[in-house]
Amino acid sequence: MSSFRFDLLLILVFAIHFAPGLSDLVISKLDRRIDLTSQIVRMTLTLKVENTGTDPVSEVSLTFPEHQANNLALLVAVSTKGKGKSRGSATNLPIKIKQPNDSPPSLIWYAASLPKELGKGESLNMDVLVVFTHMLRPFPEKITQAESQLFLFQESAHFTSPYNVKVQSLTVKLPSENVESYTKLENTKFSGSEIKYGPYENLPALSYSPVIIHFPSNTPFAVAKELVREIEISHWGNVQVTEHYNLIHGGAQSTGEFSRLDFQARPHLRGASAFRNLIAMLPPRAHSIYYRDAIGNISTSNIYGDSSKTLLEIEPRYPMFGGWKTSFTIGYGLPLQDYLFQLGGTRFLNITFGSPMNDVLVENLTLKVVLPEGSRDISVSVPFPVKQSQETKFSHLDIAGRPTVVVEKINVVPEHNQYFQVHYKFSNLSLLTEPLMLICGFFSLFVACIIYMHADFTISKSSSSYLAKLQWDEVQGTIQQLQDIINRCLLIHDKLEASLRELSRNGDVQACKAVRKSADGLLKDFSKESKPLLAILQSSPQAAHILPKVEELMFNRHRWKQRGPLLFGHRNLLE
Amino acid sequence: MTQSAKPISSPVPDAWYPSLAVPMLAVGLVITASFFIYEATSSRKNRSLAKELVTGAAASFFLGFGSLFLLLASGVYV
């Protein structure tokens, strides 16, 4: 505490020597609202900046003491021209950390560049949102199950601005109507759940008036020490998001024993500092949502879906008291057409950056976007500074792996849950490599089968069993060929019978005679073909038992051939 | 943006996946069956390599696409 005061003393000393060296901007009105209703401290500044000097000014500097700047997660400044009914459009100002050389080291400067230079005598309205993390200190640091949490918040009633401020006020909003203690300066008022400091007039630049507020708060202090968010895109129609959480209760540490009986019987008295559920706002049309951890599926969850969002309410396996940890995984699938777009020759993914959980502070966020195999020219555009890298992930049906973009950020607050884009190039033909791989896999099985049937793996080619097998194969082949010939003969006979019937119907003798001639020719060919086959059968010892049957068949056929013309001639005589 | 971005979706509508998977797998299995019947009943002399390869290729084409749509229909978006 004493070193803290010394820093501020240094600032005060420098303020006196430093002020004349600045540009002549003056803040004519400053309203600060600090929201302490959750673990993340949000400060909203509404200020009106006037240029009282002669030179036009292109940037406005905001300063914060070092201990606050180290915990600064987000700084957004918006400027509007005009006021009241004639408010112009709001423009976001780009912010840069710009440390002047002669500034004390315990003061960090943020410069907001104006879109248009502020000329002499002009004024500008600015709205600034600053989000701080880890600003509330639990005091006492360890509590038992029955006590409620008390936090310490340190701030300055005068905004440490590098410019003179004409009128300023500070309103601090507390989570409940109780307060343990707060610094009473002049013009301090406590009503409802708000403490109002001000208005203070005509304060010099870099003035500081420390204020300490000690207040109770039992809002959930869910801090994710590590969140790994993996977004996998499949061009077959799905975006799969998997989130691994390592959650801890970041409030006052819990000491002493935990009595489940007391907690279940009187949760508001014995366990006011704990939280039981977490709510996540998933996008609409999310499907296949699962919630599991290292043990298995966790069934204490509920989903309420409508057309604008899917609300997921999850309950960890035990209530979270101060200092207690839990880790789990949430996964869900999203339809592809809501998130992937085509612009010219490139495709881009448009999806939210941070965690969908309400009011969870993420200390280390690792976001991995896994693009399908064959994606080229990958680039990421995120609206705030992040650390990027690339790696490869091997997944289903992959040859070279899927290119993955890894984006890392520290101290992510729910205000960071904005849309970001990943651009890449992909040709639809590369989609075909996946079924092609499956087809090749199946075809290799068939080829292996063919090779097995064709190859001859016997060791001794002259053993009697091998020779007998060869002869058997030959006999089987010959019989199949004979069968083939006989089938073709039968077809010819059918054709002849059909032509005879035609004849009895329309009396066209010439057509009938033509058919008869061709049939005769074919039958002669067949008998020629079957002669060598019969010869093979006769010479082979394996065919001994089947040979008589085949010969009988041949004889029958021969007899029919002889009788057939008689039948035919009979008909002719009839004509 | 000067041109509007068009949403991209799958080349085959999602709802068709199960009704594409089953017939393709069925046809693929029938052709596989005919391939194996041919292998079993033909003798060494009469076997034709061209017929075997064509049947195998047709069977693997239908089986490949059928198994891809089966994977997609069951939620494994490869």
Side-chain angles (χ1 to χ4, degrees):
Chain A
M1 200 68 107
S2 58
S3 65
F4 174 69
R5 289 281 164 86
F6 179 68
D7 270 351
L8 301 170
L9 202 61
L10 216 62
I11 292 175
L12 272 170
V13 167
F14 272 102
I16 302 165
H17 298 284
F18 193 64
L22 277 174
S23 63
D24 310 291
L25 281 177
V26 165
I27 299 179
S28 42
K29 192 166 184 328
L30 170 63
D31 278 316
R32 267 201 305 163
R33 276 193 71 85
I34 300 186
D35 188 349
L36 297 179
T37 49
S38 84
Q39 57 169 324
I40 301 171
V41 175
R42 296 175 171 102
M43 187 195 302
T44 337
L45 296 118
T46 317
L47 33 80
K48 186 162 169 208
V49 183
E50 229 178 82
N51 187 359
T52 53
T54 48
D55 305 321
V57 166
S58 62
E59 48 182 45
V60 177
S61 296
L62 299 156
T63 52
F64 295 99
E66 195 183 9
H67 69 99
Q68 278 191 356
N70 286 342
N71 290 325
L72 194 143
L74 182 70
L75 174 66
V76 177
V78 171
S79 75
T80 46
K81 276 258 167 220
K83 59 171 183 259
K85 290 225 177 70
S86 63
R87 257 206 147 150
S89 61
T91 43
N92 255 4
L93 305 173
I95 308 276
K96 252 187 0 246
I97 297 186
K98 202 163 134 180
Q99 201 76 354
N101 292 339
D102 46 356
S103 143
S106 57
L107 200 66
I108 311 286
W109 294 64
Y110 293 90
S113 347
L114 301 174
K116 213 180 62 149
E117 279 187 353
L118 198 63
K120 175 180 170 191
E122 283 183 358
S123 71
L124 181 73
N125 293 326
M126 263 173 73
D127 290 306
V128 184
L129 170 69
V130 196
V131 180
F132 294 107
T133 62
H134 302 113
M135 283 284 281
L136 300 177
R137 239 185 65 198
F139 192 74
E141 288 183 7
K142 290 191 206 278
I143 56 172
T144 63
Q145 183 184 347
E147 294 168 15
S148 82
Q149 300 179 113
L150 295 168
F151 291 97
L152 215 55
F153 177 63
Q154 290 162 337
E155 185 43 274
S156 152
H158 306 162
F159 181 52
T160 39
S161 152
Y163 316 115
N164 298 333
V165 184
K166 284 207 189 125
V167 179
Q168 64 169 299
S169 69
L170 166 66
T171 318
V172 180
K173 186 165 159 53
L174 300 173
S176 67
E177 294 194 355
N178 308 325
V179 68
E180 276 289 305
S181 71
Y182 61 96
T183 315
K184 289 185 177 62
L185 304 173
E186 52 177 29
N187 271 359
T188 309
K189 216 169 38 197
F190 175 52
S191 67
S193 57
E194 287 189 0
I195 306 178
K196 193 161 154 102
Y197 290 93
Y200 299 116
E201 294 183 12
N202 280 332
L203 291 167
L206 293 179
S207 65
Y208 192 91
S209 168
V211 148
I212 296 177
I213 304 177
H214 195 202
F215 64 98
S217 170
N218 279 323
T219 53
F221 260 62
V223 174
K225 282 247 171 265
E226 200 188 338
L227 166 58
V228 178
R229 194 157 182 253
E230 196 178 290
I231 301 174
E232 184 165 337
I233 303 173
S234 161
H235 283 125
W236 291 103
N238 191 41
V239 174
Q240 184 72 23
V241 182
T242 316
E243 300 172 1
H244 304 274
Y245 286 87
N246 244 340
L247 220 66
I248 188 174
H249 185 294
Q253 301 268 315
S254 169
T255 55
E257 57 178 24
F258 169 59
S259 162
R260 171 66 77 168
L261 185 63
D262 282 345
F263 179 71
Q264 299 246 191
R266 287 174 294 192
H268 294 291
L269 288 173
R270 304 265 182 275
S273 64
F275 65 85
R276 289 182 110 142
N277 27 22
L278 292 160
I279 297 180
M281 292 285 197
L282 301 180
R285 293 176 290 277
H287 60 85
S288 317
I289 305 175
Y290 61 85
Y291 169 45
R292 64 170 83 115
D293 68 356
I295 300 170
N297 179 50
I298 307 176
S299 55
T300 46
S301 60
N302 281 309
I303 298 178
Y304 308 101
D306 66 27
S307 61
S308 64
K309 64 184 183 308
T310 314
L311 201 125
L312 171 68
E313 185 192 337
I314 55 172
E315 237 181 83
R317 292 185 192 272
Y318 41 84
M320 297 285 284
F321 278 87
W324 289 17
K325 299 187 192 142
T326 181
S327 70
F328 54 84
T329 306
I330 289 181
Y332 49 98
L334 301 165
L336 187 67
Q337 55 261 30
D338 292 343
Y339 300 95
L340 195 67
F341 301 95
Q342 175 116 25
L343 193 64
T346 58
R347 303 177 175 212
F348 66 94
L349 172 76
N350 191 33
I351 203 166
T352 52
F353 179 81
S355 161
M357 297 250 175
N358 284 353
D359 218 20
V360 165
L361 164 69
V362 182
E363 282 185 5
N364 272 309
L365 174 63
T366 309
L367 177 70
K368 298 189 188 179
V369 180
V370 182
L371 298 168
E373 223 183 346
S375 311
R376 305 175 309 271
D377 301 338
I378 303 168
S379 71
V380 185
S381 65
V382 190
F384 32 79
V386 290
K387 195 170 96 155
Q388 290 182 24
S389 61
Q390 274 211 14
E391 60 182 34
T392 316
K393 177 183 175 202
F394 288 94
S395 178
H396 319 284
L397 299 181
D398 277 346
I399 306 171
R402 299 178 187 217
T404 309
V405 183
V406 181
V407 175
E408 289 170 59
K409 189 161 175 64
I410 316 175
N411 262 5
V412 179
V413 292
E415 278 82 4
H416 281 128
N417 207 8
Q418 303 166 18
Y419 280 94
F420 75 104
Q421 288 85 37
V422 179
H423 301 262
Y424 65 99
K425 285 204 178 76
F426 186 84
S427 73
N428 248 354
L429 281 178
S430 317
L431 259 185
L432 278 178
T433 52
E434 285 165 354
L436 220 71
M437 213 189 309
L438 286 168
I439 292 174
C440 288
F442 281 110
F443 192 61
S444 66
L445 286 175
F446 285 108
V447 165
C449 188
I450 292 172
I451 292 175
Y452 173 71
M453 295 299 282
H454 278 251
D456 198 1
F457 290 119
T458 51
I459 301 166
S460 116
K461 298 258 192 298
S462 55
S463 74
S464 54
S465 62
Y466 178 68
L467 292 170
K469 188 164 165 297
L470 274 183
Q471 283 170 344
W472 194 88
D473 268 341
E474 206 180 322
V475 166
Q476 192 186 26
T478 319
I479 289 184
Q480 277 180 344
Q481 281 171 322
L482 273 173
Q483 210 174 19
D484 203 29
I485 291 175
I486 290 173
N487 281 337
R488 283 187 279 173
C489 278
L490 285 172
L491 277 174
I492 301 284
H493 294 168
D494 283 338
K495 254 204 280 198
L496 273 173
E497 285 204 18
S499 75
L500 277 174
R501 273 195 284 263
E502 278 285 314
L503 181 66
S504 62
R505 267 218 329 249
N506 56 16
D508 190 359
V509 188
Q510 295 302 87
C512 204
K513 277 213 177 106
V515 172
R516 171 81 210 277
K517 237 191 224 115
S518 64
D520 266 342
L522 282 166
L523 284 170
K524 262 201 209 75
D525 286 333
F526 287 159
S527 47
K528 248 196 295 210
E529 277 175 34
S530 53
K531 271 212 185 40
L533 296 173
L534 273 172
I536 295 172
L537 277 181
Q538 275 157 354
S539 65
S540 163
Q542 299 279 345
H545 58 285
I546 206 165
L547 191 58
K549 293 207 185 83
V550 176
E551 290 192 330
E552 197 185 324
L553 255 176
M554 291 284 118
F555 183 64
N556 278 344
R557 216 208 63 197
H558 199 67
R559 239 181 38 204
W560 192 95
K561 209 175 125 195
Q562 284 176 335
R563 272 194 17 216
L566 273 177
L567 270 170
F568 202 70
H570 200 71
R571 294 277 174 152
N572 246 343
L573 284 171
L574 278 175
E575 299 309 315
Chain B
M1 280 190 260
T2 49
Q3 339 153 246
S4 67
K6 287 185 327 255
I8 299 177
S9 63
S10 160
V12 175
D14 268 22
W16 290 9
Y17 287 149
S19 31
L20 266 180
V22 174
M24 283 202 143
L25 277 178
V27 168
L29 288 171
V30 162
I31 303 181
T32 310
S34 99
F35 172 84
F36 280 111
I37 290 172
Y38 182 70
E39 289 284 341
T41 56
S42 68
S43 70
R44 201 167 267 271
K45 249 171 55 170
N46 296 344
R47 222 173 266 147
S48 125
L49 185 66
K51 185 160 174 222
E52 286 176 329
L53 282 174
V54 166
T55 317
S60 60
F61 174 82
F62 281 102
L63 280 176
F65 269 101
S67 60
L68 173 78
F69 287 122
L70 181 69
L71 277 174
L72 290 173
S74 55
V76 179
Y77 280 90
V78 292

